[in-house]
Amino acid sequence: MNRQTGIGGGSPMHSVYFTYPYENDLNIYITDPYGQILTLTARMQVFWVFPAHESEHQFIRQAGPDAVEVLGSERKPAVHDFRRALVV
C-alpha cells in the first residue's frame, strides 16, 4: 500500500504558513490597507496559506515572520506548488 505523506498530493511538506496577501495585490488592497473586505453584513480578513518544508518551518520559528516575508519577496518561490524546491 502506498501511504500518502505530507499535507497533500504526495507533498514532502508537513506545515503551512499563514500570511497577509502581498502589498502589491491590488485585488485585495484596493480599499483597505489591511487586506480586509467589507460587505454589507461582515468584514472578512484575507490570508494566504502556503505549504512549508520542515527547514522553512524551523526558519519561521527561529527568524520570525518578517524574515520569511523578506526571503519570499527576494526568491519568489512557487508557493502554490506542493512539490516546490526548498527556499531555506
Side-chain angles (χ1 to χ4, degrees):
M1 174 193 265
N2 185 4
R3 190 172 146 228
Q4 182 178 356
T5 61
I7 59 174
S11 172
M13 299 180 223
H14 293 268
S15 300
V16 292
Y17 174 65
F18 290 80
T19 187
Y20 293 105
Y22 294 138
E23 290 179 2
N24 61 356
D25 186 340
L26 296 179
N27 293 316
I28 301 298
Y29 290 106
I30 290 173
T31 59
D32 192 297
Y34 300 106
Q36 296 178 346
I37 300 171
L38 181 61
T39 69
L40 292 176
T41 58
R43 180 180 294 269
M44 297 176 284
Q45 178 66 55
V46 177
F47 289 100
W48 286 348
V49 182
F50 300 143
H53 288 279
E54 181 59 28
S55 62
E56 296 164 343
H57 173 87
Q58 292 304 321
F59 180 77
I60 293 165
R61 289 177 59 91
Q62 293 170 0
D66 289 341
V68 154
E69 297 294 332
V70 168
L71 191 63
S73 68
E74 290 172 353
R75 298 190 182 173
K76 301 187 184 341
V79 293
H80 60 281
D81 184 354
F82 281 44
R83 293 186 182 99
R84 67 173 168 74
L86 296 163
V87 175
V88 292

